Amino acid sequence: MSEDIEKQLVEKLKTRNFSVQLDESTLRDSEAVLITYVRYIDKGHFAEEMLFCKRLESTTTSKDIYNKLKNYLDVNDIPMKNITSCAADGAPNMMGKKNGGLKLMKDANPEMILVHCVIHRENLVAKNISPVLNEVLHSVIKCVNAIKANAKCERLFKLFCEDKNEDHVRVLLHTEVRWLSKGSCLKKIYGTV
């Protein structure tokens, strides 16, 4: 089933413009992965899908990241020119002006627009919000994490949302993004309960 879903997505991306969001992350067991999401217009509405999550075998350089994406596009006959924009965090291997992964993509497709990840920008803004809004934000985070901490609570929350005919019936565990003390890159610190 998952292969069929991926095949349908690949067929769509071969013939239309789309944007890409890249995130290189290190899992708890020190395994590095490249997660790639795409956003495109489908039947007049925005659609967002995970394109792939691939292991970065040895290093996580800009060339490794670019080659992983380029290889996926080539294997699936998706033209690089179909990518209209690309977003990534501020890590040098992604956003480096001289040889970052996005710079290599821009060299292959000069029309592409490069942007800094919106989630990281939102997080930086949230750190400077008013005390009242900050208190509300922290209350929401506590509620979300309490729901996610207990499987029964999560199931009851889902039933509650379905009963109210809500479009979304799940919550995501809060993810905090922090500035590293050295350098200008950002690091995701995944919330644990």
Side-chain angles (χ1 to χ4, degrees):
M1 186 197 274
S2 65
E3 289 176 11
D4 183 54
I5 292 170
E6 181 182 19
K7 185 178 177 182
Q8 289 178 40
L9 177 59
V10 165
E11 288 303 314
K12 290 176 184 179
L13 299 180
K14 287 180 182 181
T15 60
R16 65 182 75 185
N17 291 335
F18 61 94
S19 62
V20 175
Q21 180 165 347
L22 302 171
D23 186 25
E24 175 267 317
S25 291
T26 303
L27 305 177
R28 292 179 194 257
D29 62 354
S30 298
E31 183 177 359
V33 293
L34 177 65
I35 305 168
T36 305
Y37 290 91
V38 293
R39 192 170 208 194
Y40 56 95
I41 297 175
D42 188 30
K43 299 176 185 171
H45 294 90
F46 282 108
E48 186 173 85
E49 303 285 341
M50 180 189 290
L51 184 59
F52 66 80
C53 178
K54 300 275 184 189
R55 194 169 144 249
L56 295 166
E57 289 78 18
S58 57
T59 58
T60 60
T61 66
S62 57
K63 287 183 182 179
D64 296 326
I65 291 165
Y66 173 76
N67 288 336
K68 193 62 74 173
L69 175 65
K70 180 80 169 105
N71 183 52
Y72 185 89
L73 296 176
D74 290 346
V75 165
N76 291 290
D77 296 321
I78 301 171
M80 178 75 80
K81 68 177 180 64
N82 287 6
I83 302 176
T84 57
S85 63
C86 185
D89 63 14
N93 61 346
M94 288 287 193
M95 298 292 285
K97 291 182 180 181
K98 292 184 181 178
N99 61 0
L102 272 57
K103 168 73 168 83
L104 297 172
M105 290 176 65
K106 180 90 169 165
D107 290 345
N109 178 2
E111 301 298 316
M112 185 185 309
I113 298 169
L114 306 179
V115 294
H116 191 270
C117 176
V118 174
I119 293 170
H120 289 86
R121 287 183 181 189
E122 287 177 358
N123 186 271
L124 294 173
V125 169
K127 289 187 182 301
N128 296 314
I129 60 176
S130 72
V132 173
L133 288 176
N134 193 36
E135 187 176 327
V136 171
L137 177 64
H138 285 290
S139 296
V140 170
I141 290 169
K142 280 176 131 176
C143 291
V144 167
N145 288 345
I147 292 168
K148 292 297 288 183
N150 183 303
K152 181 180 177 185
C153 286
E154 194 167 6
R155 289 190 303 271
L156 291 173
F157 180 79
K158 181 180 178 192
L159 290 172
F160 174 77
C161 292
E162 287 172 349
D163 187 49
K164 300 295 180 186
N165 294 319
E166 294 295 329
D167 292 334
H168 304 286
V169 297
R170 299 192 64 184
V171 291
L172 300 175
L173 188 63
H174 170 67
T175 301
E176 185 177 340
V177 180
R178 294 185 182 158
W179 284 100
L180 288 176
S181 58
K182 295 181 181 177
S184 62
C185 61
L186 295 169
K187 180 181 180 183
K188 286 186 178 177
I189 310 294
Y190 292 94
T192 56
V193 180

